[in-house]
Amino acid sequence: MKAKFISLEGGEGVGKTTNIKFIESLLIDKGMQVLLTREPGGTVLAEKIRALLLDKSQESIAESTELLMMFAARAQHIKHVIQPALDEGIWVLSDRFTDATYAYQGGGRGMDIGVIQWLENFIQADLRPDLTLLLDAPIDIGMQRAKNRGALDRFESEQMLFFTKVRDAYLALAKTSPARIKVVNAGQPLDKVQAEIKIHLSHLIND
Ligand code: T5A
């Protein structure tokens, strides 16, 4: 079977990191070779860009700078990690990908969607995830989980209105791409979240 590219998306603290490990173990049980990665990040240079993006102690980052840094990190990630893995038959699981740019920079920051689409086509050509699991939960649940985990980064320190726009943008994306983006109710206990994830994965594997 051709290797597939799966991304996990959602707001802060909804459980992407927790569930990506669950997905990895499900796929390994099915005999797939799996690469776990994340955005922004995934290569040495892209992880340096991530550290700059999440650091709130430096000069304020202009919105256009933030957008270009996301795509600069993504270009490295695709060239050095994602595409080579897929070419070798390795399934790729990414904790966030370009839907996060549409949700955070497009929805949250209000940046021009046309510019994001242009950058997506320029950087990715026709590379898109085969399946995107959008973990959706009320914002206060995710933020409480993130707070319990420790100090908040530059994005997590945004105001409620920002996260509302991000969540709305994600749900709008899911409506426009229902075949690729599957919404999972991440406000439930973990076993129920994982039961939903398992159903979506089995459809992908059996396709
Ligand atoms: N960004 C990223 C952009 O603005 N544009 C982009 O293009 C991209 C790619 C990256 C930041 O960059 C921004 C968005 C982000 O702000 P990140 O680390 O990927 O940051 O994102 P975070 O949302 O900050 O990731 P977190 O690690 O905080 O959250 P997760 O991974 O969603 O949550 P997780 O799995 O760590 O879980 C949080 C806690 O909740 C518990 C877990 O055990 C953990 O303690 N938990 C549950 N508890 C109860 N019930 C459940 N169902 C639970 N699921 C998890």
Side-chain angles (χ1 to χ4, degrees):
M1 191 194 306
K2 189 173 160 281
K4 300 274 167 66
F5 176 24
I6 302 172
S7 60
L8 255 80
E9 296 282 0
E12 309 298 313
V14 289
K16 296 175 301 298
T17 310
T18 307
N19 287 300
I20 208 165
K21 289 179 190 138
F22 170 73
I23 297 172
E24 179 187 33
S25 65
L26 280 181
L27 293 175
I28 289 172
D29 283 351
K30 296 269 178 203
M32 278 80 164
Q33 267 189 285
V34 182
L35 176 94
L36 206 63
T37 187
R38 69 174 180 181
E39 287 212 346
T43 78
V44 174
L45 177 56
E47 288 291 331
K48 287 184 179 170
I49 296 173
R50 176 190 179 90
L52 290 171
L53 281 163
L54 299 190
D55 183 2
K56 46 181 186 182
S57 67
Q58 59 192 336
E59 70 190 44
S60 81
I61 301 179
E63 289 173 355
S64 50
T65 309
E66 183 180 276
L67 175 66
L68 293 170
M69 287 170 80
M70 291 295 174
F71 272 106
R74 185 162 298 133
Q76 286 297 110
H77 192 205
I78 292 169
K79 181 171 171 56
H80 294 296
V81 175
I82 297 177
Q83 197 60 61
L86 292 172
D87 291 345
E88 280 176 42
I90 299 168
W91 287 50
V92 175
L93 296 182
S94 187
D95 190 337
R96 299 191 184 278
F97 195 61
T98 307
D99 294 308
T101 311
Y102 281 104
Y104 282 78
Q105 282 65 50
R109 304 271 189 241
M111 296 206 71
D112 187 336
I113 299 297
V115 172
I116 299 175
Q117 283 169 336
W118 187 88
L119 287 166
E120 179 182 39
N121 291 330
F122 174 59
I123 299 298
Q124 296 171 215
D126 57 359
L127 178 73
R128 300 290 184 276
D130 296 290
L131 171 68
T132 297
L133 295 168
L134 171 55
L135 303 187
D136 178 63
I139 293 155
D140 50 334
I141 292 184
M143 285 311 293
Q144 196 51 53
R145 289 181 191 161
K147 275 184 194 148
N148 290 344
R149 232 196 14 207
L152 300 181
D153 65 34
R154 194 174 66 85
F155 286 99
E156 290 163 346
S157 306
E158 287 286 344
Q159 302 300 310
M160 199 65 177
L161 177 61
F162 177 80
F163 298 119
T164 304
K165 289 181 186 167
V166 168
R167 186 181 184 202
D168 290 349
Y170 266 133
L171 291 172
L173 284 169
K175 278 206 176 125
T176 55
S177 303
R180 173 177 66 85
I181 305 180
K182 304 296 178 191
V183 182
V184 173
N185 176 0
Q188 318 174 84
L190 196 54
D191 59 333
K192 292 225 165 66
V193 175
Q194 296 186 336
E196 278 192 34
I197 289 177
K198 216 170 164 175
I199 292 170
H200 294 305
L201 275 183
S202 66
H203 289 154
L204 180 72
I205 291 168
N206 298 325
D207 260 0

